[in-house]
Amino acid sequence: MLPSGAWGKRKPRGRRLGWVRSDARGAMWARQEGLHHPHPHTVVRCPSSSSSVSCSGDSEEEDMGLLEVSVSDIKPPAPELGPMPDGLSPQQVVRRHILGSIVQSEGSYVESLKRVLQDYRNPLMEMEPKALSARKCQAVFFRVKEILHCHSMFQIALSSRVAEWDATEKIGDLFVASFSKSMVLDVYSDYVNNFTNAMSIIKKACLTKPAFLEFLKRRQVCSPDRVTLYGLMVKPIQRFPQFILLLQDMLKNTPRGHPDRLSLQLALTELETLAEKLNEQKRLADQVAEIQQLTKSVSDRSSLSKLLTSGQRQLLLCETLTETVYGDRGQLIKSKERRVFLLNDMLVCANINFKPANHRGQLEISSLVPLGPKYVVKWNTALPQVQVVEVGQEGGSYDKDNVLIQHAGAKKASAAGQAQNKVCFGPPRLFQELQDLQKDLAVVEQITLLISTLHGTYQNLNMTVAQDWCLALQRLMRVKEEEIHSANKCRLRLLLPGKPDNRSGRPISFMVVFITPNPLSKISWVNRLHLAKIGLREENQPGWLCPDEDKKSKAPFWCPILACCIPAFSSRGLSLQLGALVHSPVSCPLLGFSAVSTSLPQGYLWVGGGQEGSGGQVEIFSLNRPSPRTVKSFPLAAPVLCMEYIPEPEEEESRDGDESHTAADPSAAAHPTICLGLQDGSILVYGSVDTGTQCLATCRSPGLQPVLCLRHSPFHLFAGLQDGTLAAYPRTSGGMPWDLESPPLCLTVGPGPVRTLLSLEDAVWASCGPRVTVLDATSLQTQQSFEAHQDEAVSVTHMVKAGSGVWMAFSAGSSIRLFHTETLEHLQEINIATRTTFLLPGQKQLCVTSLLICQGLLWVGTDQGVIVLLPVPRLEGIPKITGEPRGAGLGRAREVGCKWPGEGESCAQMFTLSSYVGVGVCSPTSCHCRWHCGTVELNHPSPTGSHLLSESQFPDLANGDSSAYWPDGLRIGWDT
C-alpha cells in the first residue's frame, strides 16, 4: 500500500496493465501489450487522499477514488473462440474448453459489476427524493467503478488473446501482467475493507427507509436471475478463487516444455498471493465486526466491555454451537444455540437473540441482505481456567476431592451428584440403551449356564440358540458403542470455574457440553483452546519481531508459538553434536478415543548425533504421551550424519512388485523404516515401529566414505558420499525395502562431497560444490547440470521444494536462491541478512544453516540462532517470496528475535511433524530440540485441513516449570 501522498508522484511502469493513458503514447502502449484502445477519451485522475471511506464525510467521490474513469458507450467486441481446428491433441481440446470457461466467467463477472452500477448506484444517485444520501451511496458502492475498469481492460486484452489462441496458445502472461500490479491490490483491498461497512449501511437503510427497501425488492424482481444486491456485491470477493481454479485446470493440461507453462505457474502464484492478502483483510474486517457486535451486548461499565474495547483482544474462533444439558441417565433435558467466542485470553458464550420475523419486515430484509443476530453475554471466563474434558480423561482433568461438578443448566447440584461427584453427560438415550444391553447380556449369560445343566433335549432351547443370543447382544453392543463414539466426535465438553459453595466453601466447577456442527469443528475448538493457552505462556510473550511493522512484535497466533522444549540427548555428561532428526509418524492405538478427536503428531522422534572422532548416539522420543519422553537410547560405532524416514510403499507401488512373494509370506511386506548414515560409511536400517531398535540391515558405502545425506524415491535409496559419489540401492519386493547386499550403482557427481539430495517425482537433484546435477529417477541417467552459485568455493548445502520451484541455501553467505524445477531457470534471490535486524554491531554475517517449507512458510535457520519466516505460495505455482517476513526470532521472550547471548547457538536442522515444525539447536555445550506451534488460521468456519491438539497434550514440562529448559530445548511448530 502506498502512502496517501505518493499517488501524485508515482510513475506508471511500462509493462503494467491498467494505467490508462489518454494520449497517442497510451494507444501505442496498448498496441504493444496486444490491446486495442477503444476509449480514446478515457480520463484518469490520481487522488491525493487515502483510500478510507466514511459515510459521514463531505468529500466528493472523485476525491476518494484511485481512478475516475469516463468510458464511452461503445462496447469492445466480446471475446470469442473461432471454430476448433482439426488435428488437436486431447490436451489442446481441454485447454480450449477451459479458455472458453475463462471467457464466459469473466464476461459474466463484468456484467454483474455493470449491473451494480447501472441498476443500483446510478438510479439511487439520481432518485428524487433520495432514498439513500449521496455520501452513503458513495460509501456503499466504493471502488466498484475502479474494479469494473480493471476487468474491462483485462477483457479487452483477453479478446486479443482469444483471437490468436490457435496460433500462440498463451494466456498465463496476460494474467501476470493484469493482476500483478499494486493498483489491483489497492482497489480490491479498499473494496474488501469497506464491504462490511457497506452491508451495515444497507441493513440500516432497509430498517429505517421503506423507499430504499422497496427499491431493492423491485430491482430484484425485475432482474432476470433474481440475484440480490448482496449477491452481486459479494462477487468481487469470490473472483480470484474462481480464477485460481480455472488456472489450475489449465496448468494440469499444459505439458512440460509448453511456452505457456511457466507463465501459468507465475500467474497462479500472483493470483494466490492476491487472494491470500484479500482473504486476510476480509478476515480481519469480519473479526472487528464480530467483536463490535459482541461489545454492543455488554454494558459500557462492565469489565468485559473494557477488555473488548481495549484493542488488545484477538478473535481466534467464533461459531454457533448447540449447548445441551443431559440428565443422570443420559436423557436430553434441554438444548439451545449459543454463540461462542474464543479470544486470545478468554472464552465468551452469548445467547443469540433474533427479533421476530415480522418485526419491521425483517423477513423481507433478510432475503435481500444478511441480518446478523444480536448477542446477550451468558458467561465469560479467563482462558487458563478452561479445561477440555475428553472421553476417558475425566479422572485427570480436575481434583475430584476438592471440586463439585454440576450441569451448566442446573440451578443446584443434586445431592446424589455431590455424593458421587459424578454427572453423566452423553447423547440422549445412547448410554442408557448400552447399559440395558449390558444387563441383558449378563442375564442371557446366566440363562446359558442354566441351559447347559439341562438333561433333556428341547427345541429352541439348547446351547446353540443360547450362544446365538449372546453373539447377537454383543453385536448390538458394538453397534451402540460405535454410535456413542460417533456422537462424541461432535461433543465438546468444557469444565469452567464457578462460584464457591455457600456451605462448604469448596469451589464449584460446572460442565458445559456443546454439540459442534461436525467432527472437524470439534477438533478445531479443542486445538485452538490448547494453542491459545500456550500462547499466553511467558516464553511466547510478546511474540516475534516483524520488520515490516517498525520492528514491532507480533502477538501469538500471527507467528509460530513455542509449544515444547526438551533436551535432544539424555546423556548430559557427553558433549554430543546434533547430526540429524526425523519424525516417524506411527499412530498409537493406546490413546483410544482421544486420538480421534486430536491430532498430535503421534509416533516417534529420532535424534541422532555423536562426537567427532568418537561414537554416535540415537535418542528416540515417544510423542504418544501427554508430553514427549525418551523411550530408547542406544550408542553407535560412529556419529550419525543423516537420517531418512521411509514410509510403507503405496498400493500402486506394491502392485508393481512381486505380489506372489508377499502373498506367500505376509511378514515379508515392507514396513516403515528409518535409515541412518554414519561417519564411518555405514548405512543402518531400523524398523520405525520397533522401539526395541533391532537393526534390520546394514551395509558399508563404497570405499567406506562418510554418508552425508540420504534420500529415497519409489525406485532407489540414494546415499550422497564424501568423495562426490552418489550410491543408488534398488528397491526390492521382500521384507527389506532396499537391496543392501549387492553392490550399489555408483555415479560420480563431482570432485567434492555430495552435501544434499532432493527427490522429485521424476528426477533426483544432487549437489556437489556450487553445481547441481539432475538425474532421471528411473534410469539414473544425467539429464542436466547447472551452476547454482557463481563462486567455486561455495557449496549447495540445502534444497527444499515447493510447487514448481526449489529453494537453495549455500555454505557461505546469507542469500537463498529459487530455481524452476522444469527449466532450471534462476527465478529469485533473497538476502536473509537484509530481512532481519538482529545482528549487533561487530557480529559476523548470517549464514543459512537449515531450510524448510511447511504450509505456506519458508523457515530459514541461521548460525546465529535466528529463524526468519517468509511467506510462500502453497499451490502449484512458483514459490516466490511475495511479502515481508512474517517474523523472526528464537530466543527468550524478553529477547524475541535475538540469539541467546554468548552461547553461539545455531539452527542445525529443521524437520516436520505432521503440521508441526521442529528445530534442532546446537551450542558449544549442548544440543536441544524445540517444537514450534504457530500461525493458527483464524478462519471461520474451521479449516478442514487443521491438525489439532487435545487439552491434555504438551503440558508444561519439568513439573510445570518450562523455564528449566531455557535457553536450551526442543521446539515444535504448528501451521495450517
Side-chain angles (χ1 to χ4, degrees):
M1 297 287 292
L2 290 174
S4 58
W7 288 104
K9 300 178 181 179
R10 178 169 178 169
K11 295 182 181 180
R13 286 176 283 184
R15 299 292 293 180
R16 299 283 187 173
L17 235 68
W19 289 104
V20 185
R21 310 178 185 182
S22 57
D23 55 5
R25 289 178 298 172
M28 182 183 299
W29 168 83
R31 286 194 297 269
Q32 291 173 352
E33 291 290 341
L35 310 179
H36 301 292
H37 199 273
H39 311 309
H41 302 293
T42 300
V43 179
V44 181
R45 289 192 180 93
C46 296
S48 59
S49 63
S50 62
S51 57
S52 61
V53 182
S54 174
C55 62
S56 60
D58 297 327
S59 60
E60 296 297 332
E61 183 183 6
E62 55 263 23
D63 293 331
M64 298 187 298
L66 287 174
L67 296 171
E68 176 62 26
V69 184
S70 175
V71 182
S72 66
D73 294 333
I74 303 176
K75 294 184 178 181
E80 184 176 354
L81 274 170
M84 184 179 299
D86 299 330
L88 295 182
S89 67
Q91 283 189 326
Q92 288 178 308
V93 174
V94 174
R95 281 170 57 84
R96 280 180 63 92
H97 287 305
I98 297 173
L99 179 64
S101 299
I102 293 174
V103 171
Q104 181 182 7
S105 174
E106 183 65 11
S108 175
Y109 178 62
V110 170
E111 288 300 319
S112 297
L113 294 175
K114 291 180 179 178
R115 283 174 57 183
V116 172
L117 296 177
Q118 297 172 2
D119 295 349
Y120 290 94
R121 180 191 179 278
N122 296 344
L124 286 172
M125 293 291 289
E126 299 169 359
M127 185 181 296
E128 292 294 342
K130 297 288 187 183
L132 196 66
S133 67
R135 290 194 303 272
K136 291 183 178 180
C137 192
Q138 293 167 9
V140 168
F141 301 103
F142 185 58
R143 294 295 186 231
V144 176
K145 290 178 64 176
E146 289 78 11
I147 293 177
L148 174 60
H149 174 71
C150 291
H151 284 269
S152 296
M153 296 296 296
F154 174 69
Q155 197 176 34
I156 296 172
L158 186 59
S159 300
S160 175
R161 289 303 176 89
V162 168
E164 304 169 353
W165 177 256
D166 293 321
T168 61
E169 286 196 13
K170 291 190 66 176
I171 195 174
D173 57 338
L174 177 60
F175 277 92
V176 174
S178 300
F179 299 109
S180 62
K181 53 187 177 296
S182 61
M183 189 192 72
V184 176
L185 175 61
D186 294 339
V187 169
Y188 268 93
S189 296
D190 291 343
Y191 182 86
V192 169
N193 293 336
N194 183 64
F195 185 79
T196 303
N197 176 51
M199 294 300 106
S200 176
I201 294 174
I202 293 176
K203 285 186 286 188
K204 291 179 181 178
C206 289
L207 291 170
T208 58
K209 297 185 178 181
F212 181 73
L213 177 59
E214 186 63 28
F215 171 78
L216 294 184
K217 290 164 55 180
R218 188 169 60 252
R219 287 296 179 183
Q220 183 193 9
V221 171
C222 295
S223 63
D225 49 11
R226 299 297 182 92
V227 176
T228 62
L229 175 60
Y230 173 82
L232 293 173
M233 293 191 65
V234 80
K235 288 189 176 184
I237 298 177
Q238 304 167 342
R239 186 57 189 149
F240 290 107
Q242 294 170 350
F243 270 150
I244 289 173
L245 292 175
L246 290 169
L247 287 190
Q248 283 180 308
D249 288 340
M250 184 71 81
L251 183 60
K252 289 178 183 177
N253 292 276
T254 303
R256 290 194 174 191
H258 193 285
D260 197 30
R261 186 169 174 85
L262 178 58
S263 299
L264 284 173
Q265 292 169 339
L266 291 171
L268 198 57
T269 297
E270 294 291 347
L271 292 177
E272 182 188 355
T273 303
L274 188 56
E276 287 274 352
K277 293 178 179 178
L278 296 178
N279 287 341
E280 176 67 9
Q281 293 177 2
K282 182 66 168 61
R283 185 194 61 78
L284 291 176
D286 291 344
Q287 172 181 321
V288 171
E290 284 284 357
I291 293 182
Q292 289 177 348
Q293 188 71 14
L294 180 62
T295 306
K296 292 178 182 178
S297 64
V298 183
S299 173
D300 295 338
R301 298 183 180 180
S302 67
S303 58
L304 179 59
S305 177
K306 295 178 181 179
L307 292 174
L308 293 175
T309 56
S310 64
Q312 299 177 354
R313 306 275 88 74
Q314 290 176 263
L315 181 63
L316 306 185
L317 184 61
C318 66
E319 193 171 17
T320 300
L321 306 178
T322 302
E323 182 181 357
T324 57
V325 178
Y326 300 100
D328 292 339
R329 297 178 64 85
Q331 73 275 16
L332 180 66
I333 297 177
K334 64 178 180 179
S335 64
K336 189 174 182 180
E337 286 190 342
R338 312 286 189 192
R339 190 70 170 175
V340 185
F341 301 84
L342 174 60
L343 305 178
N344 59 303
D345 58 355
M346 71 171 60
L347 188 68
V348 181
C349 178
N351 292 329
I352 304 174
N353 287 347
F354 284 98
K355 293 183 178 180
N358 57 359
H359 179 74
R360 292 193 180 186
Q362 285 203 8
L363 183 61
E364 297 177 333
I365 298 174
S366 61
S367 65
L368 298 172
V369 61
L371 288 177
K374 291 188 176 182
Y375 305 127
V376 177
V377 174
K378 181 177 174 63
W379 51 260
N380 66 280
T381 185
L383 203 56
Q385 298 176 327
V386 179
Q387 297 185 49
V388 178
V389 182
E390 288 284 7
V391 174
Q393 298 177 353
E394 290 86 347
S397 298
Y398 53 88
D399 187 356
K400 295 189 291 182
D401 297 330
N402 298 318
V403 177
L404 298 178
I405 309 298
Q406 66 182 67
H407 287 289
K411 295 182 179 179
K412 187 176 181 180
S414 64
Q418 293 187 18
Q420 300 178 6
N421 197 20
K422 179 179 179 181
V423 179
C424 296
F425 303 95
R429 300 183 305 276
L430 293 179
F431 283 114
Q432 184 61 42
E433 292 173 358
L434 179 60
Q435 291 177 1
D436 292 341
L437 288 173
Q438 291 172 343
K439 293 177 181 178
D440 293 345
L441 179 61
V443 172
V444 171
E445 288 175 346
Q446 294 177 2
I447 295 175
T448 304
L449 291 176
L450 293 174
I451 292 176
S452 65
T453 63
L454 293 175
H455 297 285
T457 302
Y458 306 95
Q459 186 178 5
N460 295 332
L461 191 61
N462 51 57
M463 287 298 296
T464 303
V465 174
Q467 290 174 357
D468 288 343
W469 292 345
C470 292
L471 292 175
L473 284 173
Q474 290 172 357
R475 284 194 297 268
L476 289 175
M477 288 176 59
R478 284 195 295 269
V479 171
K480 196 62 60 179
E481 288 173 351
E482 291 176 359
E483 291 178 1
I484 295 174
H485 181 85
S486 177
N488 282 333
K489 290 181 180 179
C490 297
R491 293 173 61 244
L492 176 66
R493 303 198 299 174
L494 303 178
L495 189 64
L496 308 175
K499 296 181 179 180
D501 183 58
N502 294 331
R503 295 181 181 179
S504 64
R506 296 167 64 187
I508 295 180
S509 294
F510 63 96
M511 188 81 74
V512 181
V513 182
F514 292 110
I515 303 299
T516 60
N518 52 66
L520 287 175
S521 175
K522 186 263 180 77
I523 294 175
S524 181
W525 277 99
V526 172
N527 174 68
R528 298 188 186 193
L529 282 165
H530 176 75
L531 294 184
K533 294 167 76 172
I534 290 179
L536 296 176
R537 295 178 184 173
E538 181 182 0
E539 57 264 29
N540 285 312
Q541 301 294 331
W544 287 38
L545 201 64
C546 292
D548 60 332
E549 297 189 0
D550 300 327
K551 301 181 183 180
K552 293 182 180 179
S553 297
K554 276 283 191 181
F557 300 105
W558 296 98
C559 285
I561 59 178
L562 176 64
C564 185
C565 173
I566 58 175
F569 297 104
S570 58
S571 177
R572 298 183 179 273
L574 300 176
S575 178
L576 301 176
Q577 290 298 315
L578 187 65
L581 306 98
V582 69
H583 174 230
S584 172
V586 182
S587 61
C588 179
L590 300 178
L591 291 179
F593 170 71
S594 62
V596 178
S597 62
T598 62
S599 297
L600 175 71
Q602 299 169 36
Y604 300 95
L605 173 65
W606 290 56
V607 181
Q611 289 180 304
E612 185 69 26
S614 182
Q617 184 83 7
V618 171
E619 298 271 347
I620 304 177
F621 294 88
S622 172
L623 304 180
N624 301 324
R625 301 285 180 177
S627 60
R629 64 184 182 90
T630 304
V631 295
K632 189 70 176 180
S633 176
F634 59 93
L636 294 173
V640 179
L641 301 183
C642 57
M643 290 184 180
E644 176 76 346
Y645 169 74
I646 302 174
E648 292 182 88
E650 299 290 339
E651 293 184 3
E652 295 182 358
E653 298 176 18
S654 300
R655 296 192 193 102
D656 296 337
D658 188 356
E659 296 183 0
S660 60
H661 178 79
T662 304
D665 185 9
S667 63
H671 296 289
T673 55
I674 301 288
C675 293
L676 280 63
L678 306 187
Q679 194 173 40
D680 63 358
S682 298
I683 298 177
L684 311 179
V685 180
Y686 291 86
S688 64
V689 185
D690 180 21
T691 56
T693 62
Q694 179 182 2
C695 186
L696 303 179
T698 181
C699 73
R700 292 298 185 96
S701 65
L704 301 181
Q705 290 292 319
V707 182
L708 303 184
C709 52
L710 289 169
R711 284 294 181 271
H712 77 280
S713 73
F715 311 103
H716 297 89
L717 172 66
F718 298 98
L721 306 183
Q722 178 75 34
D723 62 352
T725 300
L726 178 64
Y729 298 88
R731 179 180 287 276
T732 64
S733 57
M736 278 301 302
W738 314 108
D739 182 8
L740 301 182
E741 297 180 357
S742 303
L745 176 62
C746 294
L747 306 170
T748 301
V749 179
V754 179
R755 291 185 175 272
T756 182
L757 297 169
L758 182 64
S759 178
L760 305 182
E761 293 180 0
D762 55 355
V764 176
W765 291 27
S767 74
C768 182
R771 297 191 64 83
V772 174
T773 301
V774 181
L775 306 172
D776 183 84
T778 306
S779 65
L780 301 183
Q781 297 296 319
T782 300
Q783 294 179 337
Q784 297 182 69
S785 179
F786 65 97
E787 276 195 0
H789 201 281
Q790 67 279 5
D791 190 349
E792 291 292 333
V794 173
S795 299
V796 179
T797 55
H798 299 88
M799 295 188 291
V800 290
K801 176 185 179 293
S804 301
V806 173
W807 279 101
M808 296 185 186
F810 305 93
S811 58
S814 56
S815 294
I816 57 175
R817 297 184 178 184
L818 173 65
F819 293 86
H820 192 221
T821 57
E822 299 171 14
T823 65
L824 309 183
E825 182 180 349
H826 179 202
L827 301 176
Q828 192 176 18
E829 182 170 359
I830 297 293
N831 189 352
I832 299 301
T834 62
R835 298 296 178 117
T836 177
T837 57
F838 301 137
L839 288 180
L840 300 177
Q843 283 186 324
K844 64 179 181 179
Q845 189 181 18
L846 283 176
C847 182
V848 178
T849 55
S850 53
L851 276 182
L852 179 73
I853 288 182
C854 182
Q855 306 204 14
L857 285 178
L858 174 62
W859 294 61
V860 185
T862 67
D863 60 347
Q864 299 296 301
V866 176
I867 296 177
V868 179
L869 303 184
L870 299 167
V872 292
R874 307 188 188 199
L875 301 180
E876 307 92 323
I878 305 298
K880 295 174 59 179
I881 302 299
T882 55
E884 292 297 325
R886 281 278 196 95
L890 192 60
R892 296 176 184 266
R894 300 178 186 85
E895 300 165 330
V896 170
C898 301
K899 74 178 185 69
W900 297 292
E903 296 183 0
E905 298 206 341
S906 171
C907 303
Q909 286 204 15
M910 295 182 182
F911 56 98
T912 58
L913 301 91
S914 183
S915 53
Y916 287 72
V917 171
V919 181
V921 181
C922 289
S923 69
T925 57
S926 62
C927 299
H928 286 72
C929 306
R930 297 174 170 84
W931 279 269
H932 281 288
C933 198
T935 320
V936 177
E937 298 287 344
L938 308 180
N939 300 336
H940 172 71
S942 58
T944 58
S946 299
H947 293 270
L948 313 163
L949 303 176
S950 74
E951 176 56 28
S952 64
Q953 308 297 350
F954 283 127
D956 291 335
L957 300 180
N959 298 322
D961 182 15
S962 60
S963 61
Y965 293 90
W966 287 93
D968 298 318
L970 173 75
R971 296 186 174 181
I972 301 186
W974 184 88
D975 190 301
T976 61

